[in-house]
Amino acid sequence: MNKKTISTILLIIFLITIVLTLANVFLQDTNTSQNQTGTLTIDNKTVHYEKAGKCLEVIDGNTIQIYGVGRVQLIQIGSPDKEPQISQAKNFVSDKCLGKTVYLDIDDENPKDRYDRTLAIVYTEDCDINKELLDNNLAKISYFTPSEFKKGEV
C-alpha cells in the first residue's frame, strides 16, 4: 500500500473513534446543566417538575433514557407482561417521548430504585405519560413504598 492509502485508512479510523466517543459521552452524560425546575399546564392542571431532558431511548413501556439524567422508571407504572400490549406500550411511549424534551416529577421520598433508575412521573409539553398509559390500558398500577405519590395518584 502506498502512503496515501495508509493515511486515508488512519483518518477514517480516527474519525470513527471520535464519533463513537462522542456518542458514548452523550448517552452516558449526567450533566445537570439543562435540568431545571419549573411548571407545566396539562389539561388545565399545573404540574411541577424537577428535571428536564431529551428522551434518547425507550427501553420498554415504562423505562426511558433521558439525556443528563440516565434511565428513568415511570413511577406507579407496571409494564404489560404479554404481547401485543408490551409492544403497544413501548410504541406509545416512543411516539410521545422519543427525541422530545420530557419533564420529570421525581419522587422525593424514593428518587431511585434498586437498579439506580430515577423514579418519576414523566410529562411532555401536553401529556402526562404515566396517566395516559393507564388510561389507554397499556399499563397497570404498580405501587411501591415509600413514595411521595399516593397509590393511584398518577
Side-chain angles (χ1 to χ4, degrees):
M1 284 197 254
N2 62 31
K3 289 182 180 183
K4 186 175 179 179
T5 304
I6 292 173
S7 296
T8 303
I9 291 171
L10 290 174
L11 178 62
I12 290 170
I13 291 171
F14 175 74
L15 291 174
I16 290 172
T17 303
I18 294 295
V19 168
L20 292 175
T21 301
L22 288 174
N24 189 43
V25 166
F26 285 122
L27 290 175
Q28 306 266 337
D29 187 53
T30 56
N31 179 5
T32 58
S33 64
Q34 292 185 2
N35 298 334
Q36 56 190 3
T37 60
T39 59
L40 293 169
T41 302
I42 299 173
D43 295 331
N44 296 321
K45 178 183 169 189
T46 300
V47 295
H48 301 277
Y49 63 89
E50 286 92 14
K51 293 189 178 185
K54 189 173 197 173
C55 179
L56 300 174
E57 179 183 7
V58 175
I59 309 323
D60 57 32
N62 67 347
T63 310
I64 57 179
Q65 178 82 21
I66 306 298
Y67 176 76
V69 177
R71 289 206 172 178
V72 175
Q73 176 75 31
L74 281 68
I75 196 157
Q76 293 194 20
I77 300 298
S79 287
D81 51 5
K82 60 183 178 178
E83 288 294 348
Q85 293 86 1
I86 293 170
S87 296
Q88 291 171 339
K90 184 175 180 178
N91 291 339
F92 178 85
V93 174
S94 293
D95 290 344
K96 297 285 186 179
C97 299
L98 191 59
K100 299 174 184 166
T101 299
V102 295
Y103 305 88
L104 308 176
D105 184 357
I106 298 171
D107 189 337
D108 294 333
E109 289 188 35
N110 194 15
K112 298 270 188 171
D113 69 4
R114 65 181 178 206
Y115 304 110
D116 202 36
R117 297 176 296 197
T118 299
L119 298 171
I121 296 175
V122 177
Y123 302 99
T124 61
E125 290 286 336
D126 60 354
C127 181
D128 177 337
I129 300 300
N130 299 48
K131 184 177 182 321
E132 290 294 319
L133 280 166
L134 293 170
D135 289 350
N136 288 292
N137 295 317
L138 297 172
K140 59 184 185 260
I141 293 176
S142 180
Y143 186 71
F144 298 95
T145 57
S147 177
E148 91 174 81
F149 305 108
K150 307 292 184 261
K151 188 173 185 176
E153 187 175 69
V154 296

